[in-house]
């Protein structure tokens, strides 16, 4: 009996093997959906960023069924067929955004893998502008938060001065800096690296009693090392310049500010000749401490958030029209000319979270900052106002009418332009503050 069972099993096995040798029809029926097996993870990240002249290599893929007369592999770049091989190397000859797609088809069924490749161009032409409209990204900003049609320059606060040197990790994660530079150059925009110490929050000021930046530039040896690090990073990442965001002012403000002159002189000598160098400056009494700034292309004046948030301070607009004018005129009248002054406008609001018995700010920690985008999310009509409420708390901010009024003043009075801190707090579209600012300045 066992011998009979064995004989039957052997016959069936031989029949199955014979069937397999007849062709893939025995293994894969007409309804089989082909597969693209990516063991090497070449499509693991759907987005790649490369410089023109570099290549994006797609290899190590397996296809099931294996490619034959009934299984076809096709590679496409921006929907144009470029190869039928099982591997593909994409070497772009121009900057831009590309879609690399591989298709495996079998009996009319298709599997697809897609990769987006952003190519930073080797040659590009910067667009002309009458006034600077600088979009400043915080350390958490990305290129996707920039409306490229409404900016003339972009800066990314992607370099932090620490006791150990220059921390550029924020720009390295997911190639944030490379993506920003690529998109900027594709759109004819200069991309700058913002260098700062540790900031306290979204307002763009330094952490209280933090002097990492000031300590570094006040010491000749450390200053030289820092300049070398910045220059190397700017050149390697194809950046177009640097903004020196010197806001370490609490304990050694005068010393730190005095050191910005030698620091900028060293940067100018180390960076490519065409680099843009700017500096973000204060509007308080310490402005007198700045040395010769002839070597900067312009100064960015932090003329927003007046600092009236001490215990008992009235609940009021901290970034008023009048405060901006006063800050702008400090630099126009005492350091001049206006044509080298770019004035800051906020894309965030101040919320008073706790009040005292008189209805004033309760204390040093009784307020918070809110991005403009979050304000709009709570109040769809906030774009046309300067004050609203969030969760029952009063929030003051700059809406579109205020931004347009400030831009008008700057344009009429001969200032070089304005910058927005930070543009990743803004929105893109009809209610964008950056769009309103640029439309008034251009």
């Amino acid at each position: 009996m066992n011998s009979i069972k064995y004989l039957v099993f052997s016959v069936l096995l031989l029949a199955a093997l014979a069937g397999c040798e007849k062709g893939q029809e025995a293994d894969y029926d007409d309804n089989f959906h082909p597969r693209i097996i990516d063991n090497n993870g070449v499509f693991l990240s759907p987005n790649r960023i490369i410089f023109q002249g570099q290549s994006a290599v797609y290899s190590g893929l397996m296809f099931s069924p294996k490619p034959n007369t009934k299984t076809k592999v096709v590679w496409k770049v921006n929907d144009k067929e470029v190869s039928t091989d099982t591997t593909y190397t994409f070497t772009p000859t121009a900057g831009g955004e590309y879609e690399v797609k591989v298709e495996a088809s079998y009996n009319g069924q298709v599997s697809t893998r897609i990769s987006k490749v952003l190519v930073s161009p080797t040659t590009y032409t910067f667009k002309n502008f009458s006034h600077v409209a600088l979009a400043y990204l915080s350390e958490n900003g990305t290129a996707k938060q920039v409306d490229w049609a409404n900016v003339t320059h972009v800066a990314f606060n992607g370099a932090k001065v620490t006791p150990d040197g220059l921390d550029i990790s924020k720009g390295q994660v997911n190639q944030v800096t490379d993506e920003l530079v690529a998109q900027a150059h594709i759109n004819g925009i200069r991309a700058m690296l913002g260098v700062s110490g540790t900031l306290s929050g979204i307002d763009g000021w330094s952490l209280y009693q933090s002097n990492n930046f000031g300590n570094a530039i006040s010491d000749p040896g450390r200053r030289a090392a820092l300049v070398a690090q910045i220059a190397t990073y700017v050149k390697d990442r194809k950046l177009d310049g640097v903004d020196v965001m010197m806001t370490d002012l609490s304990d050694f403000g005068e010393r730190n500010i005095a050191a910005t002159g030698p620091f900028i002189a060293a940067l100018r000598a180390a960076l490519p000749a065409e680099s843009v160098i700017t500096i973000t400056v204060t509007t308080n009494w310490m402005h007198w401490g700045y040395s010769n700034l002839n070597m900067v292309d312009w100064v960015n004046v932090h003329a927003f958030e007046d600092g009236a948030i001490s215990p008992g301070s009235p609940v009021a607009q901290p970034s008023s029209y009048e405060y901006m004018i006063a800050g702008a005129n400090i630099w126009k009248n005492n350091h001049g000319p206006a044509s080298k002054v770019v004035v800051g406008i906020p894309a965030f609001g101040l919320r008073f979270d706790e009040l005292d018995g008189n209805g004033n700010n309760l204390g040093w920690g009784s307020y918070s900052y809110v991005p403009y985008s979050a304000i709009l999310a709570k109040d769809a009509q906030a774009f046309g106002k300067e004050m609203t409420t969030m969760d029952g708390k009063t929030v003051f901010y700059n809406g579109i009418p205020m931004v347009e009024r400030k831009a008008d003043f700057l344009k009429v009075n001969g200032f070089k332009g304005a910058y927005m801190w930070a543009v990743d707090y803004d929105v893109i579209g009809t209610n964008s503050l950056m769009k309103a600012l640029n439309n008034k300045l251009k």
Side-chain angles (χ1 to χ4, degrees), residues 176-239:
V176 168
T177 299
D178 289 342
E179 181 180 11
L180 185 71
V181 171
Q183 291 287 11
H185 291 172
I186 289 169
N187 287 279
I189 302 296
R190 289 176 174 84
M192 301 167 63
L193 178 68
V195 183
S196 73
T198 303
L199 302 185
S200 62
I202 72 173
D203 59 335
W205 285 111
S206 66
L207 186 66
Y208 182 63
Q209 293 186 331
S210 171
N211 284 294
N212 292 335
F213 200 155
N215 288 338
I217 67 174
S218 298
D219 177 87
R222 292 186 62 191
R223 179 169 65 233
L226 180 60
V227 167
Q229 286 180 294
I230 293 171
T232 297
Y233 189 70
V234 167
K235 293 172 185 176
D236 288 348
R237 305 269 60 88
K238 315 296 185 186
L239 286 150

Side-chain angles (χ1 to χ4, degrees), residues 1-335:
M1 193 70 175
N2 288 336
S3 61
I4 295 174
K5 288 182 178 180
Y6 180 77
L7 179 61
V8 172
F9 175 77
S10 299
V11 170
L12 291 175
L13 179 61
L14 288 171
L17 291 172
C20 288
E21 291 175 357
K22 288 173 62 179
Q24 287 188 330
E25 295 88 347
D27 291 321
Y28 309 101
D29 62 29
D30 289 346
N31 292 318
F32 184 84
H33 197 84
R35 291 185 298 160
I36 303 172
I37 303 167
D38 184 10
N39 290 325
N40 289 347
V42 295
F43 285 96
L44 183 62
S45 175
N47 302 311
R48 295 196 187 191
I49 304 168
I50 62 176
F51 291 103
Q52 184 180 337
Q54 294 179 329
S55 297
V57 179
Y58 302 88
S59 61
L61 300 173
M62 295 177 63
F63 299 88
S64 177
K66 292 182 179 180
N68 66 358
T69 56
K70 294 190 69 174
T71 303
K72 184 178 181 181
V73 175
V74 173
W75 291 87
K76 297 179 180 179
V77 174
N78 291 350
D79 285 328
K80 180 181 179 181
E81 185 174 324
V82 292
S83 176
T84 57
D85 201 348
T86 55
T87 65
Y88 179 63
T89 298
F90 174 53
T91 306
T93 58
E97 297 181 74
Y98 298 86
E99 180 185 85
V100 177
K101 180 192 300 182
V102 59
E103 296 177 347
S105 58
Y106 178 80
N107 282 340
Q109 302 214 54
V110 181
S111 288
T112 302
R113 294 290 185 107
I114 295 175
S115 173
K116 302 286 187 178
V117 183
L118 179 63
V119 181
S120 191
T122 299
T123 58
Y124 39 87
T125 302
F126 294 125
K127 66 182 182 182
N128 296 322
F129 59 93
S130 59
H131 293 82
V132 167
L134 168 61
Y136 216 129
L137 288 162
S138 77
E139 66 174 8
N140 297 313
T142 68
K144 295 178 178 62
Q145 295 163 308
V146 180
D147 182 356
W148 297 101
N150 286 297
V151 303
T152 63
H153 299 73
V154 63
F156 169 50
N157 182 215
K160 192 181 303 297
V161 181
T162 73
D164 299 321
L166 192 68
D167 179 3
I168 43 82
S169 59
K170 285 286 188 177
Q172 297 300 94
V173 175
N174 297 322
Q175 293 185 271
V176 168
T177 299
D178 289 342
E179 181 180 11
L180 185 71
V181 171
Q183 291 287 11
H185 291 172
I186 289 169
N187 287 279
I189 302 296
R190 289 176 174 84
M192 301 167 63
L193 178 68
V195 183
S196 73
T198 303
L199 302 185
S200 62
I202 72 173
D203 59 335
W205 285 111
S206 66
L207 186 66
Y208 182 63
Q209 293 186 331
S210 171
N211 284 294
N212 292 335
F213 200 155
N215 288 338
I217 67 174
S218 298
D219 177 87
R222 292 186 62 191
R223 179 169 65 233
L226 180 60
V227 167
Q229 286 180 294
I230 293 171
T232 297
Y233 189 70
V234 167
K235 293 172 185 176
D236 288 348
R237 305 269 60 88
K238 315 296 185 186
L239 286 150
D240 304 299
V242 172
D243 176 59
V244 179
M245 198 173 176
M246 167 41 64
T247 56
D248 284 359
L249 307 178
S250 54
D251 287 342
F252 300 96
E254 293 182 65
R255 182 206 68 175
N256 296 350
I257 287 174
T260 58
F263 177 58
I264 289 169
L267 274 178
R268 181 62 75 186
L271 292 176
E274 66 277 10
S275 297
V276 175
I277 299 179
T278 63
I279 184 170
T280 298
V281 297
T282 179
T283 59
N284 60 19
W285 62 271
M286 289 185 181
H287 74 88
W288 293 111
Y290 286 93
S291 56
N292 189 340
L293 296 178
N294 289 337
M295 286 176 288
V296 298
D297 292 273
W298 70 76
V299 295
N300 294 314
V301 181
H302 191 135
F304 53 89
E305 201 207 354
D306 59 18
I309 47 178
S310 58
S313 296
V315 174
Q317 172 65 261
S319 300
S320 67
Y321 177 73
E322 292 75 18
Y323 182 70
M324 185 212 72
I325 291 176
N329 282 337
I330 283 175
W331 282 87
K332 173 185 175 183
N333 298 333
N334 298 294
H335 302 277

